[in-house]
Amino acid sequence: MFKDSLFKYFAIFCTSIGLIVLALLLFDIFSKGLTRIDWDFITNLPSRRPERAGILTALFGMMWIVTLTILIACPIGIAAAVYLEEYSSKNRFAKFIEINISNLAGVPSIIYGILGLEVFVRLLKLGNSVLAGSLTLSLLVLPVIIVATREAIKSVPNSLREASIGLGATPWQTIQRIVLPACFGSILTGIILAISRAVGETAPLIVVGALVYVPFVPQTPMDQFTVLPIQIFNWTSRPQHGFVVNAAAGIIILLLFVFLLNSIAIILRNRHNKRVKY
Amino acid sequence: MQKIKEKSIEAFLILCASITVFTTLGIIVILSIETFQFFREVSVFEFFTGTEWTPLFAIKKYGILPLVAGTLLTTLIAIAVALPLGLTIAVYLNEYADQRLKAVIKPLLEILAAIPTVVYGFFALTFVTPVLQKIIPSLSGFNALSAGLVMGVMIIPYVSSLSEDALSAVPKSLREAAYGMGSTRLQTAFKVMLPAASSGVIVSVILAISRAIGETMIVAVAAGQEPKFTFNPLQSIETITTYIVQVSMGDVPQNSLEFRSIFAAGITLFGLTFILNNISYWMKQKYQQKYE
């Protein structure tokens, strides 16, 4: 029994290490950066002087990237999931795609960057544009959306489908009007998690050539861009103390987005789990 | 008319599903072609056995081992943190903690995996390294140790959550039988539950390793950019991923040999993670069959 309680306290200690590090990280970043955040920091363009630099272009770049990524990745991801769950009758092709998706989910994000650099930037000649960056991130978040949507579709009971088909609806009508609306909440959760992933992603965008210094806000999908994590990376790697403070302030803004998105996802998931009881 | 519509929708859906296959194919084809070009100028033997990596210097040497060593070193440190912690947490949540506590702790720990990695890089460089330097004065400003430690904390939830899922999937009868035979909680947890869930636990660890190998921003910020063939964690090193970032941020002319070296580095990285992912997928299939 002694060993038993000894392990218990050791385990509580282990669990708290993770949480303590999390708390330390947040405390460290807030104590370094919180006082730096003001309206100017958000609306200023990047600058050589740390006290005048701001994150306006990075914020707009992020909005552009996230919006385009979701517009591209959602239809494709949901369509792929619908095919795998509703059409493919567990044939070899479906099995192959399944293995493939699980593999893609484990490919390091920087490899997607290399793919994007070759295919979108150089082959399709999109240059270091918002569009090239978004296409790259779309491929990256596609497995996230597909897996979430598949889980969502699986949760829809067969009786609904059978009732719809029995009333004379075609397979697509059943999917479009019965299955997808029934599991929309869960799909949305997956999409939000994909957005959260895209917001924090840095490495692939560096490889496709997102710039460090962009003195203007992107106006079209073909413009060059930077995003918040890249701005933070750049500030972190500079020697002057002022830029470290800027990096911490940028991180606070970035974390606000990430935590907000994740909380929405959790709330949606809980509400959905409560509401739907087939 | 209706039939044509249905068929064309199905064709569109198949096309979307195929995009994932094209992505994999694209990665393999692109890395292979560029690496092939690279190996027309650099010998394969030198690449895999050379202990110097200096493509950006005047005297260019292309031995990948320093980058591989850097990658393995940070991964090793990370796993040394995440495996014992993650596994203990998984056992604790599954065997000891009550449901309400588990429902709070699990999502809290998963926050660790949601934080963008550039944030961890900042934390490692500006907080962990200075603190460690007070204990180990010889620690250099960029080092594998603090990057690896922070990365280890980041991947705790990969190990703990997936292992906990595996433990939860073990049939209740096994645990009840163990208690019935008079085992203590600890004995039940480590002699019955953990062995029964072992393949799931191994899958979680493999995924965590694969994640650590491919991790970029933490090491790019905090571990340095000096490719060294060393396993000394106190020094500045360079990982495969950092090298790719370094070249992408510099102004290396495209189509030059230096530029192509990122594809050779990339295929090494892809190969490592590809093997690990396939092993874990294969193990997952096997272990799901066992209890269903």
Side-chain angles (χ1 to χ4, degrees):
Chain A
M1 267 344 228
F2 171 69
K3 269 201 219 157
D4 216 27
S5 48
L6 193 71
F7 175 76
K8 190 176 168 187
Y9 289 116
F10 176 67
I12 294 174
F13 168 73
C14 288
T15 313
S16 35
I17 286 185
L19 301 178
I20 288 171
V21 171
L22 182 64
L24 263 178
L25 181 145
L26 293 177
F27 174 77
D28 177 55
I29 284 162
F30 273 85
S31 66
K32 277 177 185 148
L34 195 58
T35 50
R36 178 69 183 81
I37 296 178
D38 51 24
W39 189 241
D40 283 344
F41 182 69
I42 289 166
T43 55
N44 273 7
L45 297 172
S47 162
R48 234 174 272 264
R49 274 180 289 168
E51 62 279 5
R52 288 192 45 196
I55 55 170
L56 186 72
T57 53
L59 275 183
F60 272 89
M62 197 172 83
M63 301 288 178
W64 266 105
I65 287 282
V66 168
T67 312
L68 280 182
T69 301
I70 290 310
L71 285 180
I72 297 164
C74 278
I76 298 176
I78 293 173
V82 166
Y83 172 73
L84 289 173
E85 283 301 318
E86 300 283 324
Y87 285 84
S88 73
S89 47
K90 294 289 158 217
N91 53 21
R92 261 209 205 141
F93 179 62
K95 182 87 188 148
F96 175 64
I97 292 187
E98 195 167 315
I99 298 177
N100 187 49
I101 290 170
S102 114
N103 239 316
L104 276 182
V107 170
S109 60
I110 197 158
I111 300 286
Y112 284 94
I114 293 183
L115 177 71
L117 174 68
E118 279 294 273
V119 175
F120 303 129
V121 178
R122 299 176 73 197
L123 210 62
L124 299 179
K125 299 198 166 48
L126 297 175
N128 308 334
S129 62
V130 172
L131 187 60
S134 307
L135 285 166
T136 308
L137 283 193
S138 304
L139 295 181
L140 180 78
V141 298
L142 210 50
V144 180
I145 296 178
I146 294 178
V147 170
T149 309
R150 287 188 68 180
E151 289 302 319
I153 293 176
K154 261 186 209 156
S155 71
V156 177
N158 250 335
S159 52
L160 286 184
R161 290 185 190 89
E162 282 155 7
S164 167
I165 299 283
L167 287 169
T170 64
W172 175 245
Q173 284 169 340
T174 306
I175 291 162
Q176 189 191 8
R177 299 191 194 158
I178 305 294
V179 177
L180 288 182
C183 60
F184 180 69
S186 312
I187 297 178
L188 198 61
T189 312
I191 293 172
I192 292 169
L193 290 179
I195 298 178
S196 159
R197 177 85 195 270
V199 164
E201 208 46 78
T202 322
L205 292 179
I206 291 178
V207 179
V208 297
L211 299 184
V212 168
Y213 179 76
V214 182
F216 52 83
V217 170
Q219 303 291 332
T220 74
M222 298 314 291
D223 285 344
Q224 297 188 313
F225 69 102
T226 191
V227 290
L228 199 45
I230 293 182
Q231 184 72 72
I232 292 166
F233 176 50
N234 172 255
W235 279 337
T236 307
S237 41
R238 292 207 201 178
Q240 300 101 308
H241 179 71
F243 283 116
V244 173
V245 175
N246 281 3
I251 286 173
I252 295 175
I253 307 275
L254 180 65
L255 286 181
L256 278 183
F257 279 106
V258 170
F259 287 158
L260 188 72
L261 287 166
N262 279 277
S263 329
I264 295 174
I266 290 172
I267 292 168
L268 267 176
R269 188 188 293 154
N270 290 346
R271 184 181 292 179
H272 188 76
N273 285 348
K274 260 185 217 150
R275 193 166 49 95
V276 187
K277 285 225 171 62
Y278 292 112
Chain B
M1 191 57 210
Q2 193 69 41
K3 267 226 168 101
I4 298 172
K5 192 185 164 202
E6 287 288 320
K7 277 285 156 204
S8 52
I9 285 173
E10 188 174 343
F12 172 75
L13 296 178
I14 292 178
L15 183 74
C16 288
S18 310
I19 285 182
T20 60
V21 178
F22 292 134
T23 310
T24 311
L25 275 181
I27 291 173
I28 295 174
V29 168
I30 282 163
L31 288 176
S32 304
I33 291 175
E34 292 284 346
T35 307
F36 183 72
Q37 299 276 347
F38 175 79
F39 279 137
R40 284 164 68 170
E41 291 173 65
V42 176
S43 90
V44 180
F45 183 74
E46 187 204 329
F47 182 74
F48 283 110
T49 59
T51 55
E52 279 179 90
W53 181 263
T54 56
L56 307 176
F57 292 164
I59 302 164
K60 300 186 192 311
K61 294 238 169 108
Y62 297 94
I64 192 82
L65 285 183
L67 297 184
V68 173
T71 305
L72 292 183
L73 180 59
T74 47
T75 303
L76 214 66
I77 298 170
I79 292 299
V81 173
L83 180 59
L85 289 179
L87 209 52
T88 312
I89 293 171
V91 169
Y92 172 69
L93 289 182
N94 187 259
E95 203 68 34
Y96 291 80
D98 63 290
Q99 288 300 313
R100 265 179 310 170
L101 187 68
K102 187 170 141 186
V104 176
I105 300 275
K106 231 178 157 183
L108 263 181
L109 282 171
E110 277 165 14
I111 294 180
L112 287 171
I115 291 176
T117 55
V118 70
V119 178
Y120 281 112
F122 177 86
F123 181 64
L125 181 72
T126 65
F127 184 84
V128 178
T129 297
V131 169
L132 285 178
Q133 271 172 335
K134 280 182 192 137
I135 307 164
I136 316 167
S138 64
L139 190 70
S140 85
F142 296 104
N143 61 79
L145 184 62
S146 61
L149 289 177
V150 170
M151 190 149 81
V153 173
M154 178 188 82
I155 59 177
I156 286 176
Y158 285 77
V159 180
S160 68
S161 280
L162 290 175
S163 297
E164 208 277 315
D165 292 345
L167 285 169
S168 299
V170 175
K172 264 201 178 128
S173 53
L174 259 85
R175 174 189 288 137
E176 282 155 7
Y179 281 133
M181 302 282 283
S183 320
T184 64
R185 268 187 176 176
L186 196 64
Q187 285 167 336
T188 310
F190 280 93
K191 300 209 167 133
V192 176
M193 300 299 283
L194 212 51
S198 58
S199 43
V201 171
I202 295 172
V203 167
S204 78
V205 176
I206 296 175
L207 286 180
I209 295 176
S210 162
R211 184 79 182 71
I213 290 178
E215 172 44 42
T216 309
M217 295 320 290
I218 299 180
V219 285
V221 171
Q225 300 191 337
E226 288 175 66
K228 268 187 231 148
F229 188 54
T230 174
F231 278 95
N232 179 355
L234 305 181
Q235 286 183 1
S236 158
I237 49 111
E238 181 163 48
T239 65
I240 302 176
T241 48
T242 307
Y243 176 72
I244 299 173
V245 167
Q246 188 189 1
V247 170
S248 305
M249 304 223 27
D251 32 33
V252 173
Q254 296 201 344
N255 292 323
S256 65
L257 187 59
E258 296 91 308
F259 180 74
R260 289 221 170 90
S261 66
I262 67 171
F263 295 92
I267 206 166
T268 314
L269 178 68
F270 180 73
L272 283 174
T273 52
F274 189 77
I275 294 167
L276 290 172
N277 293 339
N278 275 300
I279 295 175
S280 76
Y281 183 83
W282 175 77
M283 288 196 68
K284 204 155 105 194
Q285 294 303 102
K286 225 179 136 186
Y287 123 92
Q288 274 175 347
Q289 280 166 5
K290 218 161 76 184
Y291 288 121
E292 266 168 20

